[in-house]
Amino acid sequence: MTDKIKIKVALAYAEEHFGPRCETYDPGCATCDGWKDYDDTGGYLLYDNDELLRRLDESWELMGMICELQDELLALKGDDNGVA
């Protein structure tokens, strides 16, 4: 069994994640079920721990790439004031 982590999410994230609410609740509809879980938990969603760790690793990789690109850009600009 994979561990789940309960995270409070913003309404804007839920709207983007689930899509607009359906007019009527339809069990089995991913959108309806997502909003039902969101409403039933007071805005918390359960996330798979392994998936969160994978996304975190990807985020750190992207951050490293951004920092490297910033350094290269500063070098190309000839900016040596030490500001990254």
Side-chain angles (χ1 to χ4, degrees):
M1 185 172 131
T2 304
D3 292 332
K4 299 279 186 175
I5 296 174
K6 189 165 91 170
I7 298 176
K8 179 88 169 175
V9 297
L11 180 59
Y13 174 82
E15 289 171 342
E16 182 180 315
H17 187 68
F18 301 130
R21 291 178 187 259
C22 299
E23 296 267 336
T24 57
Y25 178 72
D26 179 19
C29 167
T31 299
C32 293
D33 290 341
W35 278 111
K36 183 177 182 331
D37 288 344
Y38 181 85
D39 293 338
D40 289 350
T41 63
Y44 285 89
L45 297 178
L46 290 176
Y47 286 93
D48 180 89
N49 189 43
D50 294 336
E51 176 68 12
L52 285 175
L53 290 174
R54 185 188 63 74
R55 288 184 183 191
L56 183 60
D57 284 344
E58 289 174 1
S59 295
W60 279 111
E61 284 180 35
L62 289 173
M63 184 60 93
M65 293 167 70
I66 290 169
C67 289
E68 288 174 12
L69 290 171
Q70 266 185 328
D71 290 344
E72 289 178 23
L73 180 60
L74 288 173
L76 289 172
K77 290 172 63 176
D79 187 356
D80 61 351
N81 64 5
V83 177

